[in-house]
Amino acid sequence: MEVSPFALVLTPLPLLALIAAVEGWLLRRIGRDHDWKAYWASLGDAAGRIAVNLMLKSGVVGVVLYAVWEWRVATFHMDRWWHWALLFLGQEFCYYWMHRADHRVRWLWLNHSVHHSSNQYTLSAAYRLGWTGKITGAAVIFAPLVWIGFPVPLVVAAVAGNLLYQFWLHTELIGRLPRPIEYIFNTPSHHRVHHASNPGYIDCNYGGILIVFDRLFGSFRREREEEPPRYGLTSPLHSYNPVRIAFHAWTTMFRDMRQARGWSQRVKVLFGPPEYKPFQSTPAAAPTGTDAH
């Protein structure tokens, strides 16, 4: 059974791509630049992901989630309103920590870096999600929700809804929203900061629908007019080849593995922060590697 939230996000892909194309047309109409090559590269990434998902089926995440379901401690029948509220808050909490780990654990960054590889912030970047998510398996962090009794399909649907919500965040056409909205919800302004590679913006605003966990756990950064976001990786990827985009972080990781001396460095290359480099006695003050963000 297909359990990938990313697959569910791709179901309305034609509509999302059409809306992204309209955004590109609007940008050109108002005299702004729009990188159509990046638009097509994102579609290529989405097409490649569909093909990979068909081959890998449920992947690591599906195996883990259904195994955990067999050991659940309770079962939510979803016949109370608070069951749905708890599922929503639970997946938001788990999503926050998954997303934070995506940025701070290199094994997870291998796939997530694809989402940050576009050098322009447009709606088409929203569905540039990488091909290897079923291998890196970040979504296993939702297993506690299954363990306490939420059915796997509903957990996956909740995460898919989270990702679909984030589609509209990937634009510069929407400015800052009224303060109550900005305080509670993830907005285009907050997510622009998340995608920025400016040193003061790196690794923040991990929320999905809500921004409250960022405020609670100290990872919130506000968009500043005096520091416009600069998008892409800290060392930009100048490629429109979907294959290169999908595997650029993997090739860099394998290069670092060859340079590593001993198992300690190899483990750090795989599971340390993305900016870690072998032979580096202390981590850099800010990510400088090709694929660090």
Side-chain angles (χ1 to χ4, degrees), residues 6-28:
F6 303 104
L8 293 179
V9 170
L10 291 176
T11 301
L13 179 61
L15 176 60
L16 300 183
L18 176 60
I19 296 172
V22 171
E23 180 201 34
W25 176 79
L26 285 174
L27 287 170
R28 289 295 182 91

Side-chain angles (χ1 to χ4, degrees), residues 35-51:
D35 190 344
W36 284 105
K37 289 183 179 180
Y39 170 89
W40 291 110
S42 293
L43 270 182
D45 171 80
R49 184 164 55 260
I50 291 171

Side-chain angles (χ1 to χ4, degrees), residues 224-264:
R224 301 187 298 273
E225 293 182 4
E226 66 273 17
E227 188 176 6
R230 181 177 64 254
Y231 304 110
L233 302 170
T234 53
S235 293
L237 178 66
H238 298 293
S239 176
Y240 299 107
N241 184 331
V243 177
R244 167 67 175 149
I245 292 171
F247 294 106
H248 71 278
W250 288 84
T251 58
T252 305
M253 183 271 290
F254 285 123
R255 182 197 66 196
D256 289 348
M257 287 289 283
R258 289 194 300 269
Q259 295 176 348
R261 291 182 177 177
W263 284 106
S264 176

Side-chain angles (χ1 to χ4, degrees), residues 6 9-10 13 16 20 23 42 45-46 49 114-115 118 120-130 163-171 191 195:
F6 303 104
V9 170
L10 291 176
L13 179 61
L16 300 183
E23 180 201 34
S42 293
D45 171 80
R49 184 164 55 260
V114 173
H115 184 58
S118 178
Q120 188 177 46
Y121 192 69
T122 60
L123 292 173
S124 64
Y127 47 79
R128 185 186 290 206
L129 298 171
L163 296 174
L164 283 172
Y165 170 89
Q166 294 182 53
F167 173 73
W168 75 283
L169 305 180
H170 294 77
T171 184
H191 209 58
H195 271 261

Side-chain angles (χ1 to χ4, degrees), residues 183-205:
Y183 194 83
I184 299 172
F185 295 100
N186 197 6
T187 65
S189 177
H190 297 330
H191 209 58
R192 284 192 289 268
V193 172
H194 174 74
H195 271 261
S197 58
N198 313 48
Y201 287 155
I202 288 176
D203 293 340
C204 64
N205 296 4

Side-chain angles (χ1 to χ4, degrees), residues 194-227:
H194 174 74
H195 271 261
S197 58
N198 313 48
Y201 287 155
I202 288 176
D203 293 340
C204 64
N205 296 4
Y206 299 112
I209 296 175
L210 304 177
I211 202 68
V212 293
F213 291 116
D214 286 281
R215 296 183 184 277
L216 181 62
F217 295 114
S219 56
F220 176 72
R221 300 291 184 277
R222 184 175 180 272
E223 185 178 24
R224 301 187 298 273
E225 293 182 4
E226 66 273 17
E227 188 176 6

Side-chain angles (χ1 to χ4, degrees), residues 170-187:
H170 294 77
T171 184
E172 292 188 303
L173 291 177
I174 300 175
R176 194 165 293 156
L177 300 177
R179 188 172 182 179
I181 297 175
E182 294 280 344
Y183 194 83
I184 299 172
F185 295 100
N186 197 6
T187 65

